[in-house]
Amino acid sequence: VVALYPTAIVAEDLSIYKHNVLQGKGIGWVDATILFSAQEVGLSLATFDQLLRSCAEELGIPCLTDR
C-alpha cells in the first residue's frame, strides 16, 4: 500500500499521526503510514498485530479476520 502513495504525503502523515487517535497508542511511524495509506486509498487491512488492528478499527479502516 505504501508503495502506491507519493512520498510528498509524509508531512500530512505526521499531521494525522499527531492529531488523531494514533497519538500515544504505541504504534510506530511505519504502522501509522500504513494506516494512513489504507485509509486514503480505501483498502482493508490484514494484520495479526492486535495493536495495529485496534488503531485501524478506531480510524474506521476495515480489517480482514484472522480466520
Side-chain angles (χ1 to χ4, degrees):
V1 174
V2 177
L4 300 174
Y5 225 67
T7 56
I9 304 300
V10 172
E12 193 172 344
D13 284 351
L14 182 57
S15 175
I16 295 293
Y17 182 80
K18 285 184 175 179
H19 298 103
N20 209 306
V21 297
L22 302 180
Q23 186 175 15
K25 294 290 184 177
I27 66 167
W29 177 252
V30 173
D31 287 343
T33 302
I34 290 169
L35 291 174
F36 178 72
S37 296
Q39 187 177 46
E40 288 298 304
V41 178
L43 296 176
S44 297
L45 182 70
T47 182
F48 291 109
D49 185 323
Q50 292 300 325
L51 181 58
L52 185 59
R53 178 184 294 267
S54 173
C55 289
E57 289 170 350
E58 285 188 45
L59 290 171
I61 299 168
C63 295
L64 303 175
T65 59
D66 327 79
R67 302 176 203 266

